[in-house]
Amino acid sequence: MSETERSRWRPTRTQKIIAVLVLLIAWTALAGQWADKGCGLPQGYALVIQHGTPDRDEGCEDEPSGPEYTDNYYG
């Protein structure tokens, strides 16, 4: 491959689709960690963006309006 061919490489449509699917699977796995700590899965997706993976003392506690994030989780 010549130098100009290497600098012009772009991912194919299939490679882009696979990359997006891998990211969605990883995001779902991380959101599942929040679900194990008492949070709903949709809330887990948002918490992954806001806080990353949960620490030992992070989770959700039951409230009348639904699970709420707390950094003093002991569940």
Side-chain angles (χ1 to χ4, degrees):
M1 212 189 287
S2 70
E3 193 63 36
T4 56
E5 289 175 347
R6 275 191 231 142
S7 64
R8 292 185 192 186
W9 179 84
R10 291 185 175 195
T12 65
R13 182 176 181 187
T14 303
Q15 290 170 331
K16 290 176 187 177
I17 291 170
I18 290 171
V20 168
L21 289 174
V22 167
L23 287 174
L24 288 174
I25 290 168
W27 191 19
T28 300
L30 295 174
Q33 291 180 3
W34 283 102
D36 293 342
K37 295 272 198 144
C39 306
L41 192 58
Q43 187 180 19
Y45 285 112
L47 288 170
V48 167
I49 293 171
Q50 294 170 355
H51 300 282
T53 58
D55 293 335
R56 285 185 321 140
D57 57 346
E58 291 180 317
C60 292
E61 293 180 348
D62 286 331
E63 298 290 330
S65 62
E68 293 292 325
Y69 169 78
T70 181
D71 56 1
N72 292 320
Y73 178 76
Y74 298 105

